[in-house]
Amino acid sequence: MSSGYFQIALGRTYIDESQGFLESIRLFNDRRPVSVLVKKEDFDYALEKRVFDKVIVLEENGMLFSLCKNAHDKYCIFPRVSLLEYVPYREAIII
């Protein structure tokens, strides 16, 4: 059964915070994989960190996304509502 950490990091500041989290858990020998959900424009930035096991891009299209009226809906509510579409683990700790 696969398990790991999954973080929503929509923006470079959040990617940096996710990296800090990952570095912290490694200090305690926690070797579970860490995946991160990012905006398309931040994909390369997250990959360049070379710390995440998987970098997953938020799909900013579809019927549900089109109903979002503002940034809060698009990048806070929507990712959480559609979370199961992105989590690559059977068991996950969502950060």
Side-chain angles (χ1 to χ4, degrees), residues 10 37-39 56-60 74-75 78-79 86:
L10 301 174
L37 180 68
V38 301
K39 292 180 182 179
I56 301 164
V57 174
L58 176 69
E59 294 295 327
E60 298 183 52
K74 292 177 182 178
Y75 304 113
F78 174 75
Y86 297 102

Side-chain angles (χ1 to χ4, degrees), residues 7-94:
Q7 297 183 290
I8 298 172
L10 301 174
R12 290 183 178 203
T13 300
Y14 298 109
I15 294 168
D16 293 341
E17 289 177 4
S18 293
Q19 179 182 5
F21 165 78
L22 192 151
E23 291 168 352
S24 294
I25 64 169
R26 297 296 185 239
L27 292 174
F28 296 96
N29 286 330
D30 188 336
R31 297 290 172 217
R32 282 178 273 208
V34 176
S35 296
V36 64
L37 180 68
V38 301
K39 292 180 182 179
K40 184 178 180 178
E41 62 263 26
D42 294 327
F43 180 77
D44 290 336
Y45 181 77
L47 281 180
E48 289 169 5
K49 298 285 186 183
R50 294 196 163 118
V51 295
F52 303 112
D53 294 283
K54 290 185 181 179
V55 178
I56 301 164
V57 174
L58 176 69
E59 294 295 327
E60 298 183 52
N61 55 30
M63 187 185 77
L64 188 57
F65 191 82
S66 69
L67 296 174
C68 298
K69 301 293 183 203
N70 55 50
H72 179 264
D73 292 350
K74 292 177 182 178
Y75 304 113
C76 185
I77 304 300
F78 174 75
R80 284 156 181 80
V81 169
S82 57
L83 192 66
L84 294 178
E85 296 175 28
Y86 297 102
V87 177
Y89 312 111
R90 184 160 170 84
E91 294 181 348
I93 299 168
I94 311 295

